[in-house]
Amino acid sequence: MGEALGRAGVNIDGFFGFSLNNMSWTHLLVTDAAGARSALDGVADVAEELEVLVLDVDDHVGALGEVTRRLSDAGVNLRLAYLGTGTRLVLAPDDVDLARRTLSGTAGES
């Protein structure tokens, strides 16, 4: 996948992968979703595209807890979360709009 995306000029801004029940799953954070989908055609199955929030977070103890507590208190569930490049927190909430409203002004959202 990395080579195919590189050949297509698609940069990977974040990456999360795991294996479960003899299947591998990967979430790629890219700015060019259409280019990534095209580059991965025939290389990997793209199961789903998710809208995510990308937050610039300070690298300090408790930073993740601060963000996720606010989301939890607002009733937002997370489908996945991981760190992307440059200490950016990548979140796939079940309600993107509510998560965005909940976190507005608290972290650098991109």
Side-chain angles (χ1 to χ4, degrees), residues 11 16 35 37 41 48 55 62 64 70 73 75 77-78 94 96-99 101 109:
N11 190 50
F16 171 75
R37 184 174 279 282
D41 187 37
E48 177 180 18
L55 306 171
L64 177 62
R70 292 193 68 180
D73 288 349
N77 294 306
L78 295 176
D94 61 349
V96 174
D97 292 331
L98 177 57
R101 287 191 310 272
E109 183 183 337

Side-chain angles (χ1 to χ4, degrees), residues 30-75:
V30 297
T31 53
D32 181 4
R37 184 174 279 282
S38 177
L40 295 174
D41 187 37
V43 175
D45 293 328
V46 178
E48 177 180 18
E49 290 184 32
L50 296 173
E51 183 177 2
V52 297
L53 298 180
V54 181
L55 306 171
D56 293 317
V57 293
D58 291 329
D59 185 5
H60 68 269
V61 174
L64 177 62
E66 293 165 7
V67 171
T68 55
R69 169 52 52 206
R70 292 193 68 180
L71 293 172
S72 176
D73 288 349

